[in-house]
């Protein structure tokens, strides 16, 4: 998650990383915030390929977050997104914030389409 959503760039995203952690402190946090994400993982021969997390919101759409390594597997990403769409149903829209172009074909093949493309820019003095 930190590679795709670095804290210095993703501070404005509604990604609550504490709900995705393991351990009793995270369990207690989820209990008090009533935020229980669903997660799916893809692995091959004991190697973790990708993780997809779903967090419900009070807004228009629920959020899904993708964690993949730099040398990610397109098939793993597509299958995780398809499974999430099937299991979550069509009752609420889903949003996936991800750097432009990253896993674009897998995301499109899973039935998603781009709504916005934002570019991170920095002015250096």
């Amino acid at each position: 998650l930190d590679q795709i959503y670095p804290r210095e760039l993703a501070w404005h995203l509604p990604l609550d990383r504490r709900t995705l952690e393991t351990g009793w402190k995270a369990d207690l946090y989820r209990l008090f915030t009533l935020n229980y994400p669903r997660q799916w993982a893809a692995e091959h021969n004991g190697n973790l390929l990708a993780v997809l997390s779903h967090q419900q919101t009070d807004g228009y759409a629920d959020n899904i977050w993708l964690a993949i390594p730099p040398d990610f597997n397109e098939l793993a990403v597509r299958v995780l997104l398809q499974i999430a769409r099937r299991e979550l149903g069509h009752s609420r829209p889903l949003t996936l914030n991800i750097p432009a172009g990253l896993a674009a074909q897998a995301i499109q093949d899973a039935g998603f389409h781009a709504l916005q493309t934002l570019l991170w820019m920095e002015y250096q003095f």
Side-chain angles (χ1 to χ4, degrees):
L1 280 174
D2 287 336
Q3 290 175 6
I4 295 177
Y5 311 103
R7 293 177 193 271
E8 62 274 7
L9 297 178
W11 56 268
H12 69 289
L13 294 175
L15 171 58
D16 189 349
R17 295 168 195 263
R18 292 175 291 182
T19 64
L20 305 177
E21 295 174 0
T22 60
W24 69 269
K25 288 181 182 179
D27 291 340
L28 193 59
Y29 178 78
R30 284 187 290 273
L31 179 67
F32 283 109
T33 61
L34 300 175
N35 191 339
Y36 299 96
R38 292 186 64 184
Q39 298 190 73
W40 299 267
E43 68 171 77
H44 183 260
N45 293 333
N47 296 316
L48 185 62
L49 302 177
V51 176
L52 185 70
S53 301
H54 167 257
Q55 290 180 322
Q56 290 182 313
T57 72
D58 293 331
Y60 168 73
D62 287 346
N63 299 314
I64 52 177
W65 307 100
L66 183 62
I68 53 176
D71 59 340
F72 67 93
N73 181 302
E74 291 264 345
L75 177 61
V77 171
R78 179 175 49 81
V79 169
L80 282 180
L81 288 168
Q82 289 171 329
I83 289 170
R85 286 187 63 215
R86 184 181 68 236
E87 290 188 13
L88 295 171
H90 299 289
S91 60
R92 292 183 46 83
L94 298 173
T95 61
L96 171 64
N97 280 294
I98 196 155
L102 183 63
Q105 190 62 53
I107 293 168
Q108 184 177 348
D109 290 347
F112 289 82
H113 62 277
L115 289 178
Q116 292 179 308
T117 300
L118 302 175
L119 302 175
W120 292 105
M121 293 183 268
E122 177 181 32
Y123 177 75
Q124 304 228 344
F125 297 94

